[in-house]
PDB file of all heavy atoms in Angstrom:
ATOM      1  N   GLY A 541      24.792  -9.883   4.704  1.00 87.00           N
ATOM      2  CA  GLY A 541      25.328 -10.233   6.009  1.00 87.00           C
ATOM      3  C   GLY A 541      24.341 -10.896   6.936  1.00 87.00           C
ATOM      4  O   GLY A 541      24.742 -11.413   7.989  1.00 87.00           O
ATOM      5  N   SER A 542      23.062 -10.895   6.584  1.00 89.00           N
ATOM      6  CA  SER A 542      22.071 -11.523   7.456  1.00 89.00           C
ATOM      7  C   SER A 542      22.046 -13.036   7.244  1.00 89.00           C
ATOM      8  O   SER A 542      22.480 -13.547   6.223  1.00 89.00           O
ATOM      9  CB  SER A 542      20.687 -10.936   7.184  1.00 89.00           C
ATOM     10  OG  SER A 542      20.312 -11.140   5.827  1.00 89.00           O
ATOM     11  N   THR A 543      21.547 -13.741   8.248  1.00 90.00           N
ATOM     12  CA  THR A 543      21.483 -15.206   8.221  1.00 90.00           C
ATOM     13  C   THR A 543      20.187 -15.646   7.560  1.00 90.00           C
ATOM     14  O   THR A 543      19.130 -15.047   7.772  1.00 90.00           O
ATOM     15  CB  THR A 543      21.577 -15.765   9.645  1.00 90.00           C
ATOM     16  OG1 THR A 543      22.773 -15.292  10.249  1.00 90.00           O
ATOM     17  CG2 THR A 543      21.600 -17.285   9.617  1.00 90.00           C
ATOM     18  N   ILE A 544      20.288 -16.703   6.782  1.00 90.00           N
ATOM     19  CA  ILE A 544      19.121 -17.227   6.076  1.00 90.00           C
ATOM     20  C   ILE A 544      19.114 -18.745   6.187  1.00 90.00           C
ATOM     21  O   ILE A 544      20.167 -19.385   6.195  1.00 90.00           O
ATOM     22  CB  ILE A 544      19.129 -16.781   4.591  1.00 90.00           C
ATOM     23  CG1 ILE A 544      17.850 -17.236   3.891  1.00 90.00           C
ATOM     24  CG2 ILE A 544      20.357 -17.280   3.876  1.00 90.00           C
ATOM     25  CD1 ILE A 544      17.706 -16.679   2.488  1.00 90.00           C
ATOM     26  N   ARG A 545      17.935 -19.312   6.303  1.00 91.00           N
ATOM     27  CA  ARG A 545      17.752 -20.758   6.406  1.00 91.00           C
ATOM     28  C   ARG A 545      17.284 -21.281   5.052  1.00 91.00           C
ATOM     29  O   ARG A 545      16.315 -20.780   4.482  1.00 91.00           O
ATOM     30  CB  ARG A 545      16.720 -21.064   7.492  1.00 91.00           C
ATOM     31  CG  ARG A 545      16.573 -22.533   7.840  1.00 91.00           C
ATOM     32  CD  ARG A 545      15.828 -22.651   9.155  1.00 91.00           C
ATOM     33  NE  ARG A 545      15.456 -24.026   9.444  1.00 91.00           N
ATOM     34  CZ  ARG A 545      14.249 -24.540   9.265  1.00 91.00           C
ATOM     35  NH1 ARG A 545      13.288 -23.759   8.807  1.00 91.00           N
ATOM     36  NH2 ARG A 545      13.977 -25.792   9.559  1.00 91.00           N
ATOM     37  N   CYS A 546      17.995 -22.281   4.549  1.00 92.00           N
ATOM     38  CA  CYS A 546      17.719 -22.801   3.207  1.00 92.00           C
ATOM     39  C   CYS A 546      17.715 -24.323   3.246  1.00 92.00           C
ATOM     40  O   CYS A 546      18.113 -24.948   4.222  1.00 92.00           O
ATOM     41  CB  CYS A 546      18.764 -22.320   2.196  1.00 92.00           C
ATOM     42  SG  CYS A 546      19.069 -20.554   2.210  1.00 92.00           S
ATOM     43  N   ARG A 547      17.277 -24.886   2.123  1.00 92.00           N
ATOM     44  CA  ARG A 547      17.365 -26.327   1.911  1.00 92.00           C
ATOM     45  C   ARG A 547      18.115 -26.569   0.609  1.00 92.00           C
ATOM     46  O   ARG A 547      17.895 -25.863  -0.373  1.00 92.00           O
ATOM     47  CB  ARG A 547      15.976 -26.963   1.847  1.00 92.00           C
ATOM     48  CG  ARG A 547      16.019 -28.500   1.807  1.00 92.00           C
ATOM     49  CD  ARG A 547      14.628 -29.087   1.646  1.00 92.00           C
ATOM     50  NE  ARG A 547      13.868 -29.076   2.863  1.00 92.00           N
ATOM     51  CZ  ARG A 547      13.862 -30.053   3.770  1.00 92.00           C
ATOM     52  NH1 ARG A 547      14.617 -31.115   3.583  1.00 92.00           N
ATOM     53  NH2 ARG A 547      13.126 -29.956   4.848  1.00 92.00           N
ATOM     54  N   VAL A 548      19.012 -27.540   0.623  1.00 91.00           N
ATOM     55  CA  VAL A 548      19.835 -27.839  -0.548  1.00 91.00           C
ATOM     56  C   VAL A 548      18.949 -28.439  -1.628  1.00 91.00           C
ATOM     57  O   VAL A 548      18.287 -29.459  -1.412  1.00 91.00           O
ATOM     58  CB  VAL A 548      20.983 -28.794  -0.185  1.00 91.00           C
ATOM     59  CG1 VAL A 548      21.816 -29.101  -1.427  1.00 91.00           C
ATOM     60  CG2 VAL A 548      21.851 -28.184   0.901  1.00 91.00           C
ATOM     61  N   LEU A 549      18.957 -27.801  -2.790  1.00 89.00           N
ATOM     62  CA  LEU A 549      18.106 -28.228  -3.896  1.00 89.00           C
ATOM     63  C   LEU A 549      18.879 -29.104  -4.878  1.00 89.00           C
ATOM     64  O   LEU A 549      18.397 -30.157  -5.296  1.00 89.00           O
ATOM     65  CB  LEU A 549      17.548 -26.998  -4.609  1.00 89.00           C
ATOM     66  CG  LEU A 549      16.357 -27.184  -5.532  1.00 89.00           C
ATOM     67  CD1 LEU A 549      15.147 -27.619  -4.725  1.00 89.00           C
ATOM     68  CD2 LEU A 549      16.031 -25.892  -6.265  1.00 89.00           C
ATOM     69  N   VAL A 550      20.075 -28.676  -5.259  1.00 90.00           N
ATOM     70  CA  VAL A 550      20.903 -29.414  -6.223  1.00 90.00           C
ATOM     71  C   VAL A 550      22.344 -29.364  -5.749  1.00 90.00           C
ATOM     72  O   VAL A 550      22.822 -28.316  -5.301  1.00 90.00           O
ATOM     73  CB  VAL A 550      20.797 -28.801  -7.647  1.00 90.00           C
ATOM     74  CG1 VAL A 550      21.716 -29.535  -8.609  1.00 90.00           C
ATOM     75  CG2 VAL A 550      19.362 -28.839  -8.143  1.00 90.00           C
ATOM     76  N   VAL A 551      23.037 -30.491  -5.835  1.00 89.00           N
ATOM     77  CA  VAL A 551      24.469 -30.573  -5.548  1.00 89.00           C
ATOM     78  C   VAL A 551      25.161 -31.117  -6.792  1.00 89.00           C
ATOM     79  O   VAL A 551      24.848 -32.217  -7.251  1.00 89.00           O
ATOM     80  CB  VAL A 551      24.762 -31.475  -4.328  1.00 89.00           C
ATOM     81  CG1 VAL A 551      26.261 -31.599  -4.122  1.00 89.00           C
ATOM     82  CG2 VAL A 551      24.109 -30.909  -3.086  1.00 89.00           C
ATOM     83  N   ASP A 552      26.084 -30.333  -7.347  1.00 86.00           N
ATOM     84  CA  ASP A 552      26.807 -30.706  -8.557  1.00 86.00           C
ATOM     85  C   ASP A 552      28.306 -30.640  -8.262  1.00 86.00           C
ATOM     86  O   ASP A 552      28.946 -29.614  -8.491  1.00 86.00           O
ATOM     87  CB  ASP A 552      26.437 -29.766  -9.707  1.00 86.00           C
ATOM     88  CG  ASP A 552      27.005 -30.241 -11.045  1.00 86.00           C
ATOM     89  OD1 ASP A 552      27.757 -31.250 -11.040  1.00 86.00           O
ATOM     90  OD2 ASP A 552      26.717 -29.617 -12.078  1.00 86.00           O
ATOM     91  N   PRO A 553      28.900 -31.725  -7.726  1.00 81.00           N
ATOM     92  CA  PRO A 553      30.328 -31.676  -7.379  1.00 81.00           C
ATOM     93  C   PRO A 553      31.221 -31.480  -8.597  1.00 81.00           C
ATOM     94  O   PRO A 553      32.280 -30.858  -8.493  1.00 81.00           O
ATOM     95  CB  PRO A 553      30.572 -33.042  -6.714  1.00 81.00           C
ATOM     96  CG  PRO A 553      29.219 -33.541  -6.327  1.00 81.00           C
ATOM     97  CD  PRO A 553      28.283 -32.999  -7.352  1.00 81.00           C
ATOM     98  N   ALA A 554      30.813 -31.990  -9.764  1.00 77.00           N
ATOM     99  CA  ALA A 554      31.660 -31.869 -10.943  1.00 77.00           C
ATOM    100  C   ALA A 554      31.841 -30.407 -11.343  1.00 77.00           C
ATOM    101  O   ALA A 554      32.933 -29.985 -11.715  1.00 77.00           O
ATOM    102  CB  ALA A 554      31.061 -32.666 -12.103  1.00 77.00           C
TER     103      ALA A 554
END
Side-chain angles (χ1 to χ4, degrees):
S542 59
T543 303
I544 185 172
R545 188 165 171 259
C546 310
R547 187 184 283 271
V548 179
L549 196 65
V550 177
V551 176
D552 189 355

